[in-house]
Amino acid sequence: MALCCWYVNAASQEYLVPVSEAHEKMQTGKYKPTWESLKQHKTPEWFRNAKFGIWAHWGPQCVEGSGDWMAREMYMEGRKAYQYHLEHYGHPSEVGFKDILPLFKAEKWDPEKLVERYKRCGAQYFFVLGNHHDNFDLWDSKYQRWNSVNIGPKKDILDGWAKAAKKAGLPLGISFHADHAWTWYEPSQRYDQNGPKAGIYYDGKLTKEDGKGKWWEGYDPQELYAQNHEPSELSWSNVQIHKQWDWTNGATLPTQAFVTNFYDRTLDAINRYEPDLIYFDVTVLPFYGISDAGMKITTHLYNKNPRSVVFGKILSEEQRKCITWDVERGAPNEIIDEPWQTCNCIGGWHYNTEIYEKGWYKSAETVVKQLVDIVSKNGCLLLSIPLRADGTYDEKEAQILDDLEAWMTVNGESIFGTRPWKIFGEGPIAEKTVDMNGPGFNDGQYAGMSHRDIRFNQTQKHLYATAMGWPEDGKIVIKSLAKGNSYFKKAISGAWLLGYGKVKAKQTGEGLVVELPAPTNKIAPVIRITK
C-alpha cells in the first residue's frame, strides 16, 4: 500500500494494525491520540534550559565489541561482525545472538558512579537504553521473557539507572527501539552462500520446541527474533531496511500481536520507572502510518507526566508542535522555532573495539563545537558514551570526559538556560548550505570549524559569542557586531573572556575586534558581552 494511503488511514483512525489495550490501558486525561490534541503539549522549559544530556546506549550487543547493529550484522556473511562472531563464538546456525545474551554480565557496572561522572561533565538529563532492535529488555519485563533479570546480568538495569538518576537529580530518559526487530532481524533467516556451511539456515527461525536440552529450554526464540513471518521484499539486500524504516517499500507488516507486545512493554517501563523523556528511533513514532501504537504511547506519557518529552525523527513542521524533533548525528543550519535535539555519539552506538584501538573517537573539542552550534539553533545535544559489556568506559573515553568537564565547568554559563540570538552565527560554515540525509547524518559537514566560525546565544543580561577555535594572532573579529550593525545596536564598551576576565574589545566597521590572551582552555574561547 502506498505511503499516502497509509497517512489517509491514520488520519481517519482506520489503522492497518490497530493496537490492543487488553493488557495495558492508555492513561486518559487532557490528551487524546490525535495530532490536534497532542498539539496542546509544549516542549517544557526545563528541557529547553537543559541543553546537554548523556546517554548510556548499552546492552548485550556490546559483548563482542563489534559495534552498532552487531546482532543484525553477525548474520550477514562477509561482514566484520559476522567474521568476528564466526571466529570467536561459532557459526550463526549453531551460536546465534540468543547465545550471546548470557555473556552480558555487567559485572563492573556502578550506575551511581557513572551518573555522577556524567553530571560533572555538565549533563542536565540522562538517557538509558530500554531495549534495542535486538528486542532484549533491560528490565524485569512483564511482557518479554528475554530480559536482563532472567538472562545475563540477572539485574534490573533500568531500575539501577533510574535510582541513580533520581539520586543525582537528573531527569531520566528511556529509549525504545524494539519496534523494528520484526524487519531488523530478518538476516537471521538467511544462510551462508559460500563455504562448508553453505545452505544451512541460521537460527532465526528456531522455535521453543528446538530448545529441549539446551540452556534456553523453555524460552521461545521467536519472542526474541520475531521471524515467524515471510521476509520483506529484497530482504537479502543489507541496505534495503533503510528504505523500509517507515514500513513502506515492501516491508512485511507486523502482526497485531507484535505491535501490541511493543506497546505493552513500553507502557510497562513508563509506569514502573516514570521517565521524563522517551526516545524512539523511528520515522515520526513507532509503527506510524500503520498503527496507533506510537500515538497511544505518547498520549499515555503526556497524560501521566505533563513535563515529559517524546522524540521522533523526520517530522513535519506541524508534528514538531506535538512531539520533539530528533536529528541523528547532525544538525540543521538554521534556528528552529520549536526546541529540538541532536543525538550523537563519540564512537559507535554500541561499544566498538576497533574504534577504541584506532583512536577514532570524537574528541572533546569536536563535541563542544557541535554542542555550541546546536545550542545556537535552539537545540540540545544528547551524547552517547559507549560502555563495554562489563559496564565501564575505557581510558580514552575517560580523557574525553575529563576534557569535557574542564571546558563545561568554566563555560557552562554560555550553554545552560540560554536562548538563540537574532542569528545563530557567522563564518564559512554558517554561510553554506548544509543538507541533511534522512534523519540527519550530516555532522561531517560541520568538520573543520575554526576561529572564524562564531556562534551566538543569549540570556536576558548577556550575549555570548563562542569562537570555534583560538586564533593564532590572538584576535577575533566578530563581523555581526560591527559598528552600526542591525543586530546589537548598543555600543559595546567591554567584553569578558570566560575563565579569564575582561579583554580589550573595539567596534570597527569590520566588526568587534577582540584581543585574547594565550589560550586558557584546550577547545574554544567564549566571549561574554553585557546587553
Side-chain angles (χ1 to χ4, degrees):
M1 184 174 289
L3 181 61
C4 62
C5 296
W6 287 11
Y7 282 117
V8 171
N9 285 341
S12 64
Q13 307 299 300
E14 296 176 3
Y15 295 96
L16 296 175
V17 192
V19 74
S20 168
E21 294 185 56
H23 300 116
E24 294 289 336
K25 300 290 186 183
M26 180 192 78
Q27 182 155 324
T28 57
K30 176 180 177 180
Y31 302 100
K32 294 179 173 57
T34 67
W35 289 118
E36 191 61 32
S37 179
L38 295 179
K39 194 182 294 183
Q40 301 174 81
H41 182 81
K42 304 300 180 185
T43 303
E45 287 297 295
W46 76 259
F47 178 74
R48 296 192 71 188
N49 292 332
K51 307 302 182 188
F52 182 54
I54 286 184
W55 190 1
H57 191 286
W58 176 62
Q61 287 184 80
C62 298
V63 167
E64 296 191 22
S66 297
D68 197 37
W69 286 30
M70 165 264 158
R72 172 179 164 87
E73 296 195 356
M74 63 165 281
Y75 295 107
M76 293 179 178
E77 185 180 11
R79 286 290 182 99
K80 285 184 179 179
Y82 166 92
Q83 197 62 37
Y84 186 87
H85 180 84
L86 180 67
E87 293 174 1
H88 293 83
Y89 297 92
H91 192 264
S93 65
E94 300 165 348
V95 183
F97 184 67
K98 70 183 185 311
D99 302 295
I100 299 303
L101 298 175
L103 306 180
F104 175 52
K105 298 294 188 183
E107 61 270 28
K108 297 181 181 179
W109 176 55
D110 187 337
E112 283 190 16
K113 183 178 178 181
L114 287 165
V115 174
E116 277 298 332
R117 183 73 187 89
Y118 301 149
K119 186 176 181 179
R120 293 202 310 271
C121 293
Q124 303 292 298
Y125 58 104
F126 174 64
F127 248 97
V128 301
L129 198 66
N131 49 41
H132 199 247
H133 311 313
D134 60 21
N135 216 18
F136 183 78
D137 283 354
L138 290 156
W139 75 93
D140 188 14
S141 181
K142 288 170 61 177
Y143 302 102
Q144 173 57 296
R145 293 190 67 207
W146 298 86
N147 67 61
S148 63
V149 173
N150 293 338
I151 301 169
K154 303 295 179 71
K155 299 174 184 176
D156 189 323
I157 300 296
L158 281 194
D159 184 62
W161 284 130
K163 288 176 178 175
K166 183 175 182 180
K167 183 174 181 180
L170 295 181
L172 174 70
I174 306 176
S175 67
F176 299 96
H177 311 243
D179 51 312
H180 271 99
W182 184 268
T183 50
W184 191 83
Y185 262 133
E186 285 185 1
S188 69
Q189 296 192 43
R190 299 180 189 175
Y191 49 81
D192 282 3
Q193 294 181 296
N194 304 287
K197 300 279 188 180
I200 299 176
Y201 283 93
Y202 303 150
D203 71 331
K205 297 281 278 187
L206 292 179
T207 65
K208 187 175 182 178
E209 288 69 30
D210 294 314
K212 291 180 180 179
K214 299 183 171 64
W215 76 262
W216 47 276
E217 184 173 355
Y219 286 86
D220 184 354
Q222 290 312 307
E223 292 179 2
L224 180 70
Y225 296 143
Q227 292 308 299
N228 192 20
H229 64 81
E230 289 297 314
S232 301
E233 292 180 14
L234 302 176
S235 179
W236 278 75
S237 166
N238 292 338
V239 298
Q240 184 68 8
I241 191 171
H242 300 292
K243 298 177 182 179
Q244 298 171 338
W245 205 247
D246 60 356
W247 302 100
T248 63
N249 295 313
T252 299
L253 297 190
T255 61
Q256 185 185 48
F258 180 83
V259 170
T260 298
N261 179 256
F262 177 81
Y263 165 87
D264 287 340
R265 288 154 67 185
T266 306
L267 259 62
D268 174 38
I270 290 172
N271 294 337
R272 290 194 197 198
Y273 307 107
E274 301 182 333
D276 295 296
L277 314 98
I278 285 184
Y279 170 103
F280 294 119
D281 188 8
V282 297
T283 302
V284 188
L285 287 170
F287 308 108
Y288 182 69
I290 64 170
S291 177
D292 53 350
M295 296 289 280
K296 285 189 171 180
I297 293 169
T298 302
T299 303
H300 178 83
L301 182 64
Y302 282 178
N303 283 328
K304 187 176 179 64
N305 181 355
R307 70 190 295 272
S308 62
V309 183
V310 173
F311 297 101
K313 300 179 180 181
I314 315 181
L315 305 179
S316 69
E317 289 190 16
E318 286 301 301
Q319 289 165 344
R320 293 179 202 173
K321 297 176 182 177
C322 308
I323 60 177
T324 302
W325 184 34
D326 179 83
V327 179
E328 183 170 352
R329 291 187 182 271
N333 210 25
E334 61 182 334
I335 296 173
I336 303 299
D337 290 338
E338 299 291 337
W340 59 281
Q341 173 184 267
T342 287
C343 62
N344 213 323
C345 185
I346 63 170
W349 289 115
H350 282 101
Y351 192 83
N352 190 316
T353 305
E354 184 180 21
I355 290 176
Y356 163 73
E357 291 175 344
K358 294 187 176 179
W360 290 343
Y361 287 133
K362 287 183 175 72
S363 65
E365 178 181 359
T366 297
V367 170
V368 166
K369 289 180 179 180
Q370 290 183 344
L371 172 64
V372 171
D373 178 73
I374 289 162
V375 169
S376 73
K377 301 167 183 174
N378 203 28
C380 300
L381 171 63
L382 175 61
L383 181 70
S384 172
I385 308 292
L387 295 175
R388 294 175 288 207
D390 65 4
T392 63
Y393 48 75
D394 61 53
E395 79 281 358
K396 293 179 182 179
E397 293 175 301
Q399 184 61 57
I400 294 168
L401 291 172
D402 288 344
D403 293 343
L404 273 176
E405 180 180 355
W407 192 89
M408 296 287 269
T409 299
V410 173
N411 298 287
E413 69 169 83
S414 69
I415 300 293
F416 309 122
T418 62
R419 296 291 182 269
W421 192 45
K422 297 176 182 178
I423 58 173
F424 73 85
E426 66 179 48
I429 291 179
E431 296 166 4
K432 76 175 186 177
T433 300
V434 179
D435 295 321
M436 288 201 294
N437 180 16
F441 297 107
N442 66 350
D443 58 353
Q445 296 185 60
Y446 289 97
M449 287 191 282
S450 71
H451 68 276
R452 294 189 299 156
D453 294 286
I454 311 290
R455 295 295 179 267
F456 302 105
N457 49 2
Q458 63 178 334
T459 60
Q460 288 186 344
K461 293 183 178 181
H462 300 119
L463 172 67
Y464 295 93
T466 303
M468 301 299 202
W470 291 84
E472 291 185 5
D473 63 1
K475 289 184 180 181
I476 291 176
V477 179
I478 306 174
K479 296 179 180 180
S480 302
L481 297 178
K483 186 179 292 185
N485 76 84
S486 60
Y487 303 119
F488 196 98
K489 296 182 179 180
K490 177 182 175 182
I492 299 174
S493 58
W496 283 258
L497 173 65
L498 298 189
Y500 177 81
K502 192 169 184 178
V503 292
K504 290 183 179 180
K506 182 179 180 180
Q507 276 185 298
T508 69
E510 181 185 3
L512 180 67
V513 180
V514 181
E515 297 185 22
L516 299 176
T520 56
N521 64 62
K522 298 179 180 179
I523 298 174
V526 182
I527 306 300
R528 184 181 67 204
I529 298 164
T530 301
K531 292 164 68 176

